[in-house]
Amino acid sequence: FPRVIPWWEKWWPALLLLAVLLLLVWLVRRARRTKLINAPLDPFVRAERDFQRLDRLALNEAGEQGRFVALALEVLRTYLSVRIPAASLALTSDELLLAVAPDSRVPTQRLAPLLSEGDTIKFGRSPINGADARELAVEARGIVSAVEQAEQARRAAEKAQEKLRKRAK
């Protein structure tokens, strides 16, 4: 009897090659998608996006005012830690105030009461109503905006000085 060879024994190298090519295509697409997703954002854009996400969660309206304030302060602290190297997330509120005090971009007179109030809410479980929670979140957002405006002014001044240096040469 002649030996009958099943079709998969003849075609398995081609099927293996096709599977490897499909795997490579999938890996390339996944890498591109991951690169687009993990592209670094500007700290201000990221903070604004996080504040918008916090608003969409509607924690304040759901009766979670303490959590709402804590997350708003977390967005503020994350922004400050990226914008100001000395403002690490590992610092306590008092240490954070000491770390950012020399930086003229940070409105410490606004930041100090906000962090103090936030600490009493987060750690002391101080009760807070919805209007006060919203006010604290708006203040956190305002501080982020103020720091960003000061940063933009600093960058504009640096660019102007650089242009003057180039003209002088």
Side-chain angles (χ1 to χ4, degrees):
F1 292 102
R3 182 164 185 260
V4 177
I5 300 174
W7 68 271
W8 60 84
E9 287 185 13
K10 294 179 188 175
W11 291 97
W12 75 266
L15 291 175
L16 181 65
L17 181 63
L18 180 64
V20 168
L21 288 175
L22 288 174
L23 178 67
L24 286 174
V25 167
W26 179 76
L27 287 173
V28 167
R29 284 186 178 176
R30 183 174 178 227
R32 284 184 185 166
R33 199 172 335 119
T34 304
K35 188 183 285 185
L36 292 175
I37 291 172
N38 294 334
L41 289 177
D42 178 64
F44 182 69
V45 172
R46 181 178 176 200
E48 283 297 316
R49 185 196 68 194
D50 290 345
F51 278 124
Q52 290 170 0
R53 288 175 61 198
L54 183 58
D55 289 340
R56 284 194 306 269
L57 283 175
L59 292 173
N60 194 25
E61 292 78 17
E64 293 283 341
Q65 289 86 9
R67 185 172 294 172
F68 178 67
V69 170
L71 289 173
L73 290 177
E74 188 65 26
V75 172
L76 168 66
R77 289 178 66 107
T78 302
Y79 172 78
L80 289 175
S81 71
V82 172
R83 191 58 80 194
I84 302 164
S88 169
L89 288 175
L91 300 176
T92 65
S93 296
D94 292 335
E95 292 170 340
L96 177 66
L97 286 171
L98 290 174
V100 299
D103 197 328
S104 63
R105 296 174 292 178
V106 181
T108 54
Q109 69 279 7
R110 290 172 61 188
L111 183 62
L114 179 67
L115 291 177
S116 175
E117 183 81 20
D119 284 349
T120 60
I121 293 167
K122 288 191 298 188
F123 304 119
R125 300 279 185 194
S126 175
I128 185 168
N129 62 29
D132 291 341
R134 171 61 58 192
E135 187 178 310
L136 290 174
V138 167
E139 181 65 13
R141 197 175 212 163
I143 291 172
V144 168
S145 296
V147 172
E148 185 63 24
Q149 287 174 355
E151 176 67 17
Q152 295 298 329
R154 184 189 66 79
R155 287 183 185 171
E158 282 181 358
K159 286 182 182 179
Q161 287 178 353
E162 188 63 32
K163 285 182 182 179
L164 288 175
R165 286 185 197 136
K166 287 181 180 179
R167 286 183 186 171
K169 288 182 181 180

